[in-house]
Amino acid sequence: MSGRRRAGGGRRARAEPPAPRRDVNYRTLRNPFPPMNLFTQDRVEAMHAAALEVLERLGIKVLLPEARALFKAGGARIAPDGEMVHIGREMVEAALASAPRSIPCLAGARHRDLVLEPGALVFQPGAGAPHATDLKRGRRPGSGQDFREFVQLTQAFDVLHMIPPVVEPQDIPTHLRHYFTLEAQLTLSDKLPFIFSRGTPQVMDSFEMLRDFRGLSDDAFHGSSHCYTIINTNSPRTLDIPMAQGIIDFARAGQVSIITPFTLMGAMAPITVAGAITLSHAEALAAITLAQLARPGAPVCYGTFTSNVDMKSGSPAFGTPEHFKASLAAGQLARHIGLPWRSAAGSAANLNDAQAANETQFGLWGCLMAGATVVIHAAGWLEGGLTVSFEKMICDLEVLQMVAELCAATEAGEAEIGLDALAEVDPGGHFFATTQTMARYQSEFYQPLVADTANFGTWQEAGARDASQRATAIWEDILAQGPAVAVDQARADQLRTFIAKRTAEGGAPPES
Amino acid sequence: MSGRRRAGGGRRARAEPPAPRRDVNYRTLRNPFPPMNLFTQDRVEAMHAAALEVLERLGIKVLLPEARALFKAGGARIAPDGEMVHIGREMVEAALASAPRSIPCLAGARHRDLVLEPGALVFQPGAGAPHATDLKRGRRPGSGQDFREFVQLTQAFDVLHMIPPVVEPQDIPTHLRHYFTLEAQLTLSDKLPFIFSRGTPQVMDSFEMLRDFRGLSDDAFHGSSHCYTIINTNSPRTLDIPMAQGIIDFARAGQVSIITPFTLMGAMAPITVAGAITLSHAEALAAITLAQLARPGAPVCYGTFTSNVDMKSGSPAFGTPEHFKASLAAGQLARHIGLPWRSAAGSAANLNDAQAANETQFGLWGCLMAGATVVIHAAGWLEGGLTVSFEKMICDLEVLQMVAELCAATEAGEAEIGLDALAEVDPGGHFFATTQTMARYQSEFYQPLVADTANFGTWQEAGARDASQRATAIWEDILAQGPAVAVDQARADQLRTFIAKRTAEGGAPPES
């Protein structure tokens, strides 16, 4: 979970001095996996060129007049029907030139700060689910309590680096929901918070809350990135009002937009990987262009979420070979334009079983080998995003922690090769008590979170619990420990006062 | 499962002509994943040098007099106690020079032939388990029926390329077991069969059965590889009698030995990845040297199976970060010596749950990114190899099929980028009925084996079955269809006659 871990020991009595304990850093990861290419470079360039042609010739429908005005001022042609925007390639190229390659993000504590840039590796749990589920309370509409509990769980694991809106707190009125979700993030976590793009009034409320909670001046807030939003285009080729407004508001405030077209192959996108990713790329480029028109240099993260539908049922499928390939293709386009980028794992399973584990991990490896900067839905996501499971979050966290272990350097010096240790043990002997083992037994190996390696008999005697049942005990234990961050009470009081005032004034309904 | 697949359709009525159906080839795979290095090249060379020093200075205990005589004749120094063999580095280098880089293997049908060489990718299910388990019959000692059923299941999936001894058929007397296991493989499968190295009498019986069943002369049999065995050293640094005899017998007959030290870090091997892999490498080099001394040019596959023990329980753990790293390190040494090589996935879980799925898949990615030629225990293996599960085999096969999909080229030509398709759909529309989708809906996507993408309500109405329960229906269905290969009845009768004769003569007890 966090930095210093309980480790090893107990297997047998040992002489003094004790071996050093395990110390891990899962907070700042670099992707150690060699990037995998799906297509040759000329095909990547052809897809990029096709996306530019889509934007120029076919255009993208932009529903927000302010956004159309920005595009027009930047040189775009607005079609006679008034909503279709045709964006020239030179505008896109200018935007790609002004978008930063590296985005420093300031969280609630310096050791939680992030830099979003190619080569970095940042994990988020599943996000945006209308439902929550666990073995104790069953599947239900996401609530405020669920939202707070998922913030606590996200805070508890160093390998989760940003807070997303894991579930939609449906019992909180929509005009007050942004107060609730940001208060939960700020008071239960010191990680980078998420703000919904549901219209300027909510966004401005949220910026003000965050600025004051961090004790910043307006200039200091705007001078650095302190939060992020997710921008989903409406594929194919539509940018709706709250999303366009979010791009503009976040760009002007110097806050991070993560651009994520959601393009299901064979449904809202072409059936081919190349076609779906070309569409996704075109839409992402349009959104990036808008951000750069609103404020050159605005921090934007390129992104995609492309998977396929199951052609038998018509349902979305995740963790498929096509999903994996789409991540690889998007990674090539991200490298082509040089921006940090977001990809996604995911599962269509309906419970935390072998399918769920296999799909999420398969999708994760697609993201890792595609060189994704931010991997969202990396833990807990079920039913193609309709539910987040407490137990699945714990089980997926095991995989993320194991991946994080692979990000650390492994030594093969003389001490590790250890000819002395090899000479110490005769044929037929064992290495339990070599000098090398004694010095390292508490620190050499990753210690599992939920995996149980007991033999069958011991496991049966202990109740024959599967991974889901063991995961229940783990999240219950974490939640029972209560919030894990120190909060400045004066700032928290000020935050609540602000929320009370704004609530009395009627809050801020979402825009659509 | 096999070549031509039922695919797509049913989602809605479609006009003539029907779209082409999906055709896949999972039989001949090349590894598409860029190899990942754990260590710098100078460290790989240092490990290789350390392994040579282990063999030269510390030596390896060889229990079989004939093997010691071969080593001695090749220039090795035999220690005064008579069993410790000190192998000079020039002997190892000569062996590595004569070992083939590419091993063609002839199976029971030409489309099942394999070439074991760097770059090839070959999968085997779990092997060697004393127990079998499934949801219908529970966990029990492996039986002859289990053995036959696993051969049938292995035959049914093109993505499994070789037949291993999935379970130990404990109800078959040990002096007759090799007849039973080879007859099952030859009459239920046309894939490359496995022969146990349990002493020369059993091996010679098996070679004779295989030679005659394939209708080969002695020369033709010895001139090509028709079967393989697994050689496990006894770590640390012991080569026992049946293993050494197996190396010699297989080498002289031109049949394949897959050399696999089983080195658990912190138990029978050093606690470090570098140390454990150095020991594994030394033992593998000793076995390869023996094979080349028995017959220069003998087909040998380098291998390792290195994971760690859980330092809390002392139990073996699999699919861990250390297991992954060990595969990477072994892959670097395999590339250093240029031989085809075997690695292994695996799980310590006690049932087919999320832990089981995550461990096997995590270990699998270690093998894939290490560039393993043969990946064993890739499906079904539980309890660190003490059990193979019918349901887990099906669930893991889903992952192997998805990996196989990634081995095929993906196109991004003009037809796939599909500017026409993109132009065909207006904002707010969908791609269900574009010309491009209509032409490809039956062939574009992988069709899941056991994954269920139905939405929660539909899934609940259908019985809310988890992946294991669905897997039960799948393996039951395959077994109910009966054997899938055509068998030459005259050859099968001849095989049974041979077995009856040898049984009457007393069979061949295993040696130890």
Side-chain angles (χ1 to χ4, degrees):
Chain A
M1 296 168 50
S2 57
R4 188 160 289 273
R5 303 170 56 81
R6 298 182 309 279
R11 196 154 59 86
R12 58 195 172 279
R14 287 177 186 279
E16 299 286 345
R21 286 173 181 273
R22 186 166 172 75
D23 205 359
V24 296
N25 174 9
Y26 295 162
R27 294 190 304 272
T28 308
L29 305 180
R30 303 291 298 182
N31 186 327
F33 306 104
M36 179 172 172
N37 291 331
L38 186 70
F39 299 132
T40 54
Q41 186 58 26
D42 74 299
R43 292 296 87 204
V44 173
E45 285 160 20
M47 288 166 66
H48 182 68
L52 293 176
E53 186 171 343
V54 165
L55 292 178
E56 200 163 57
R57 180 160 64 89
L58 304 180
I60 182 165
K61 201 166 170 181
V62 177
L63 305 188
L64 181 75
E66 184 185 2
R68 289 199 300 273
L70 279 168
F71 275 121
K72 188 171 182 184
R77 178 168 62 85
I78 312 292
D81 77 350
E83 287 187 326
M84 191 67 90
V85 177
H86 297 265
I87 307 169
R89 63 194 63 211
E90 68 293 343
M91 289 176 64
V92 175
E93 274 153 24
L96 291 177
S98 68
R101 269 56 189 147
S102 178
I103 306 171
C105 299
L106 299 180
R110 292 296 67 77
H111 67 285
R112 302 294 188 192
D113 292 347
L114 299 172
V115 180
L116 302 182
E117 63 185 1
L121 183 56
V122 168
F123 293 123
Q124 290 186 30
H131 299 92
T133 194
D134 64 65
L135 292 186
K136 285 295 174 74
R137 297 168 292 188
R139 183 178 184 271
R140 69 272 181 182
S143 69
Q145 185 183 339
D146 292 322
F147 187 94
R148 291 178 60 87
E149 289 182 359
F150 279 125
V151 172
Q152 268 185 262
L153 287 177
T154 304
Q155 174 65 20
F157 290 89
D158 276 359
V159 81
L160 298 175
H161 304 101
M162 302 165 79
I163 310 279
V166 176
V167 289
E168 193 65 43
Q170 300 195 51
D171 56 342
I172 311 295
T174 55
H175 67 294
L176 305 176
R177 203 172 283 175
H178 61 297
Y179 305 127
F180 179 88
T181 55
L182 188 54
E183 187 206 335
Q185 293 179 81
L186 295 180
T187 57
L188 296 172
S189 173
D190 55 11
K191 298 185 182 180
L192 194 73
F194 170 88
I195 291 175
F196 282 112
S197 283
R198 289 177 175 169
T200 299
Q202 287 200 359
V203 169
M204 292 304 150
D205 270 349
S206 300
F207 286 167
E208 188 175 343
M209 290 161 70
L210 177 56
R211 180 200 66 194
D212 292 346
F213 191 81
R214 297 285 189 240
L216 298 172
S217 68
D218 236 24
D219 280 356
F221 180 75
H222 290 108
S224 304
S225 296
H226 303 273
C227 61
Y228 75 103
T229 194
I230 296 283
I231 299 297
N232 295 126
T233 52
N234 285 0
S235 302
R237 292 191 286 126
T238 304
L239 195 54
D240 70 18
I241 288 174
M243 292 289 107
Q245 191 67 65
I247 292 170
I248 295 168
D249 291 338
F250 274 71
R252 288 186 176 148
Q255 306 306 310
V256 181
S257 286
I258 300 184
I259 311 293
T260 309
F262 180 45
T263 46
L264 275 178
M265 294 177 242
M268 56 276 250
I271 194 167
T272 58
V273 172
I277 288 295
T278 296
L279 177 62
S280 172
H281 189 60
E283 295 177 359
L285 292 178
I288 290 168
T289 301
L290 178 57
Q292 299 305 311
L293 290 170
R295 172 172 152 175
V300 281
C301 192
Y302 177 80
T304 188
F305 193 2
T306 301
S307 191
N308 60 302
V309 293
D310 178 337
M311 292 312 268
K312 246 189 338 198
S313 66
S315 303
F318 297 94
T320 62
E322 292 75 29
H323 179 184
F324 193 114
K325 291 177 183 183
S327 293
L328 295 185
Q332 290 188 266
L333 283 161
R335 287 192 288 282
H336 186 65
I337 62 174
L339 297 192
W341 73 289
R342 183 210 97 137
S343 193
S347 170
N350 286 294
L351 80 171
N352 181 40
D353 64 353
Q355 176 188 343
N358 274 333
E359 287 179 341
T360 299
Q361 192 182 150
F362 199 83
L364 174 67
W365 281 107
C367 298
L368 295 173
M369 300 185 71
T373 318
V374 178
V375 183
I376 196 172
H377 308 323
W381 216 63
L382 282 178
E383 299 177 36
L386 296 182
T387 297
V388 171
S389 153
F390 284 74
E391 284 82 17
K392 181 163 170 58
M393 184 169 292
I394 299 298
C395 290
D396 292 339
L397 276 161
E398 183 92 272
V399 177
L400 296 181
Q401 293 192 157
M402 295 203 295
V403 169
E405 290 281 329
L406 299 177
C407 296
T410 304
E411 299 299 324
E414 295 310 315
E416 286 78 24
I417 294 177
L419 271 172
D420 291 348
L422 289 166
E424 220 174 307
V425 180
D426 287 329
H430 61 72
F431 289 77
F432 291 139
T434 63
T435 312
Q436 189 193 48
T437 301
M438 295 299 280
R440 293 168 181 257
Y441 73 96
Q442 296 218 79
S443 58
E444 197 68 15
F445 302 146
Y446 168 71
Q447 188 148 66
L449 170 65
V450 65
D452 182 350
T453 60
N455 68 40
F456 190 81
T458 306
W459 171 77
Q460 269 204 319
E461 282 159 26
R465 294 183 308 159
D466 68 13
S468 291
Q469 292 167 313
R470 297 193 305 271
T472 302
I474 292 169
W475 67 255
E476 284 186 322
D477 183 47
I478 294 169
L479 294 182
Q481 291 170 26
V485 286
V487 170
D488 180 322
Q489 281 311 321
R491 294 253 170 82
D493 290 345
Q494 182 188 17
L495 179 67
R496 287 178 192 119
T497 302
F498 174 89
I499 292 172
K501 177 174 80 76
R502 292 290 296 123
T503 300
E505 291 165 2
E511 300 196 346
S512 60
Chain B
M1 295 167 50
S2 57
R4 187 162 289 274
R5 304 168 54 80
R6 300 182 310 279
R11 197 154 58 86
R12 56 196 174 279
R14 289 177 185 276
E16 299 284 345
R21 285 172 181 274
R22 185 166 173 75
D23 205 359
V24 296
N25 174 9
Y26 295 162
R27 294 191 303 273
T28 307
L29 305 180
R30 303 293 297 182
N31 186 327
F33 307 103
M36 178 172 173
N37 291 331
L38 185 70
F39 299 130
T40 54
Q41 186 58 27
D42 73 299
R43 294 296 85 205
V44 172
E45 284 160 20
M47 289 166 66
H48 182 67
L52 293 176
E53 187 172 342
V54 165
L55 292 178
E56 202 165 53
R57 181 160 63 88
L58 305 179
I60 183 166
K61 202 166 170 181
V62 177
L63 305 188
L64 181 74
E66 183 185 2
R68 289 199 301 272
L70 279 168
F71 274 122
K72 190 171 182 183
R77 178 168 62 86
I78 312 293
D81 79 349
E83 286 186 326
M84 191 68 91
V85 178
H86 297 266
I87 307 169
R89 60 194 65 210
E90 68 294 341
M91 289 176 65
V92 175
E93 274 152 24
L96 291 176
S98 68
R101 269 59 189 145
S102 178
I103 306 171
C105 299
L106 298 180
R110 291 296 66 78
H111 67 285
R112 301 295 187 190
D113 292 347
L114 300 173
V115 180
L116 302 182
E117 63 185 3
L121 183 55
V122 168
F123 293 123
Q124 291 185 30
H131 299 92
T133 193
D134 65 65
L135 292 186
K136 284 296 174 74
R137 298 169 291 190
R139 183 178 184 270
R140 69 272 180 183
S143 69
Q145 185 184 337
D146 292 322
F147 188 96
R148 290 177 61 87
E149 290 183 359
F150 279 125
V151 172
Q152 267 185 261
L153 287 177
T154 304
Q155 174 65 20
F157 291 89
D158 277 358
V159 81
L160 298 175
H161 304 101
M162 301 165 80
I163 309 279
V166 176
V167 288
E168 193 64 43
Q170 298 195 50
D171 57 343
I172 310 295
T174 55
H175 67 294
L176 305 176
R177 202 171 282 173
H178 62 296
Y179 305 125
F180 179 89
T181 55
L182 189 53
E183 187 206 336
Q185 294 179 80
L186 295 180
T187 58
L188 297 172
S189 172
D190 55 12
K191 298 185 181 180
L192 193 74
F194 170 87
I195 292 175
F196 283 112
S197 283
R198 291 177 175 168
T200 299
Q202 287 200 358
V203 169
M204 293 304 150
D205 269 350
S206 300
F207 286 167
E208 187 174 344
M209 290 161 71
L210 177 55
R211 179 199 67 196
D212 292 347
F213 191 82
R214 297 286 191 240
L216 298 172
S217 67
D218 236 24
D219 280 355
F221 180 75
H222 290 109
S224 303
S225 296
H226 303 273
C227 61
Y228 75 103
T229 193
I230 297 283
I231 300 298
N232 296 126
T233 51
N234 285 0
S235 302
R237 292 191 288 124
T238 304
L239 195 54
D240 71 17
I241 289 174
M243 292 291 106
Q245 191 67 66
I247 293 170
I248 296 168
D249 291 339
F250 274 72
R252 288 188 176 146
Q255 306 305 311
V256 181
S257 286
I258 299 185
I259 312 292
T260 311
F262 179 46
T263 47
L264 274 178
M265 294 177 243
M268 59 277 250
I271 194 167
T272 58
V273 172
I277 289 295
T278 296
L279 177 62
S280 172
H281 189 59
E283 295 177 0
L285 292 179
I288 290 168
T289 302
L290 177 58
Q292 300 305 310
L293 290 170
R295 173 173 151 174
V300 280
C301 192
Y302 177 80
T304 188
F305 192 2
T306 301
S307 190
N308 60 302
V309 293
D310 178 336
M311 291 312 267
K312 246 188 340 198
S313 66
S315 303
F318 298 94
T320 62
E322 292 75 29
H323 179 182
F324 193 114
K325 291 177 182 182
S327 293
L328 295 185
Q332 290 188 265
L333 283 162
R335 287 193 288 283
H336 186 65
I337 62 174
L339 297 191
W341 72 289
R342 183 210 98 136
S343 193
S347 170
N350 286 294
L351 79 172
N352 182 39
D353 64 353
Q355 176 188 342
N358 274 332
E359 288 179 341
T360 298
Q361 190 181 153
F362 200 83
L364 174 66
W365 282 106
C367 299
L368 295 173
M369 300 185 71
T373 318
V374 178
V375 183
I376 195 171
H377 308 322
W381 215 64
L382 282 179
E383 298 177 37
L386 296 181
T387 297
V388 171
S389 153
F390 284 73
E391 283 83 16
K392 181 163 170 59
M393 184 170 291
I394 298 299
C395 291
D396 292 338
L397 276 160
E398 183 92 273
V399 177
L400 296 181
Q401 292 193 158
M402 295 203 296
V403 169
E405 290 280 329
L406 299 177
C407 296
T410 303
E411 299 298 324
E414 295 311 314
E416 286 77 25
I417 294 178
L419 271 172
D420 291 349
L422 288 165
E424 220 175 305
V425 180
D426 287 329
H430 61 72
F431 288 78
F432 291 139
T434 63
T435 313
Q436 188 192 49
T437 300
M438 295 299 279
R440 294 169 181 257
Y441 73 95
Q442 296 218 79
S443 58
E444 197 68 15
F445 301 147
Y446 168 71
Q447 188 147 65
L449 171 65
V450 65
D452 182 349
T453 60
N455 67 40
F456 190 80
T458 306
W459 171 77
Q460 269 203 318
E461 282 159 27
R465 295 184 306 160
D466 69 13
S468 291
Q469 292 168 312
R470 297 193 304 273
T472 302
I474 293 170
W475 67 255
E476 284 185 321
D477 184 48
I478 293 169
L479 294 182
Q481 291 169 27
V485 285
V487 169
D488 181 322
Q489 280 309 322
R491 293 255 169 82
D493 290 345
Q494 182 188 17
L495 179 66
R496 287 179 193 120
T497 303
F498 174 88
I499 292 172
K501 176 174 81 74
R502 291 291 296 123
T503 300
E505 291 166 2
E511 299 196 346
S512 61

